[in-house]
Amino acid sequence: MRPDAKKINIAIDGFSACGKSTLAQALARILKYSYIDSGAMYRAVTLFAIRHSIKDDELHLLTSLLTDIKIECIWADLGNKTILNGEDVTDQIRSLEVQKIVSQVSAVPEIRRFLVAQQKEMSKQSGVVMDGRDIGTKVMPDAELKIFMQADLEIRVERRMKELIAKGLTPDRSEILQNLTFRDHIDSTRIDSPLSKAADAKILDNSHMTPEEQLKIVLEWVESTMNR
């Protein structure tokens, strides 16, 4: 990319375990942009609920506690850090316990409005890469480049398995399959800003792509968008 190229905002949406964060972080590093992991923010709220013994059928109780939640996303070359009320919870929010109910937490309208407002504020500057479920449709509808990622379910299961094994865990494949299927359903059918492709988003099916291959394609899209 030319050093004097204009900065754009990039919105990346898609299903769980499609590699959105991997792509977004790679783009942010190469372009020297800010990276915001919106999913990590919902995971942080989910972790907060778990720590306060709020069960998945009591999530309405969270709405009165939102003012007690402060989330910071710190982006550096070594990766993204998520800070919950002053504590680095980057690893804790990736647990299977959090994954099991994060979609239910994300479906609560008051929680979505609480976090979307923060995400909109974060994206007011140019040169932002943000990934999530409703970034191109709700958070950054004016982003110059919108990408919708998808991949075969079985491939996403394998990716999630590898991710958890790399963290020293022993995941159950059937449990992950059930969790991803459930999350796809919740994310796509919730009333408040469901997962959907923005009308002007480019589709990236990376079922049979390496991270390097998908990054090459998207960098070409970025350059084309900058040259418009």
Side-chain angles (χ1 to χ4, degrees):
M1 303 293 164
R2 301 191 322 271
D4 61 338
K6 68 174 182 179
K7 287 189 173 183
I8 63 173
N9 282 346
I10 303 171
I12 303 175
D13 292 303
F15 294 93
S16 299
C18 275
K20 297 186 298 295
S21 295
T22 298
L23 173 62
Q25 291 188 46
L27 286 172
R29 287 193 183 96
I30 291 171
L31 299 172
K32 301 190 184 308
Y33 280 14
S34 299
Y35 165 59
I36 300 169
D37 181 353
S38 74
M41 297 174 73
Y42 288 99
R43 287 171 178 267
V45 173
T46 303
L47 181 63
F48 180 90
I50 292 170
R51 288 180 170 181
H52 285 74
S53 301
I54 298 175
K55 299 180 175 60
D56 56 0
D57 58 350
E58 301 173 331
L59 293 176
H60 61 282
L61 299 176
L62 265 176
T63 59
S64 63
L65 299 175
L66 292 178
T67 54
D68 297 331
I69 300 174
K70 181 181 179 183
I71 301 169
E72 300 171 85
C73 294
I74 300 175
W75 171 240
D77 286 341
L78 294 177
N80 190 61
K81 287 189 178 298
T82 304
I83 311 298
L84 172 62
N85 292 338
E87 177 190 355
D88 183 349
V89 294
T90 306
D91 292 332
Q92 293 94 315
I93 62 174
R94 298 293 166 181
S95 70
L96 193 55
E97 186 181 15
V98 169
Q99 290 178 29
K100 284 180 178 178
I101 65 168
V102 65
S103 287
Q104 294 98 302
V105 170
S106 302
V108 178
E110 292 84 357
I111 295 173
R112 292 206 73 81
R113 287 194 286 269
F114 172 71
L115 292 180
V116 165
Q118 294 182 38
Q119 292 156 10
K120 280 181 173 288
E121 190 65 28
M122 293 175 180
S123 67
K124 281 186 176 178
Q125 59 181 341
S126 294
V128 171
V129 182
M130 191 184 305
D131 68 308
R133 304 290 191 282
D134 59 353
I135 309 306
T137 56
K138 187 81 172 179
V139 179
M140 295 200 301
D142 297 325
E144 289 87 346
L145 177 59
K146 299 172 189 172
I147 300 167
F148 189 86
M149 295 179 67
Q150 58 190 37
D152 296 340
L153 178 59
E154 291 296 326
I155 289 173
R156 291 192 284 136
V157 170
E158 291 304 318
R159 289 174 180 169
R160 182 53 50 81
M161 286 279 291
K162 290 178 182 178
E163 175 187 321
L164 294 173
I165 290 171
K167 294 181 180 294
L169 303 174
T170 54
D172 179 87
R173 192 180 188 286
S174 61
E175 188 175 5
I176 291 176
L177 174 61
Q178 182 180 21
N179 175 249
L180 288 181
T181 302
F182 179 66
R183 290 184 65 184
D184 286 352
H185 173 73
I186 295 293
D187 290 344
S188 302
T189 60
R190 63 175 176 247
I191 295 173
D192 199 314
S193 57
L195 169 64
S196 61
K197 185 184 83 67
D200 55 346
K202 294 180 178 294
I203 296 177
L204 180 66
D205 188 321
N206 65 3
S207 298
H208 305 291
M209 289 183 191
T210 65
E212 293 75 21
E213 288 170 339
Q214 72 173 11
L215 179 60
K216 182 176 182 295
I217 290 171
V218 174
L219 283 173
E220 290 173 356
W221 291 347
V222 170
E223 187 155 16
S224 175
T225 301
M226 286 177 169
N227 292 332
R228 268 192 253 170

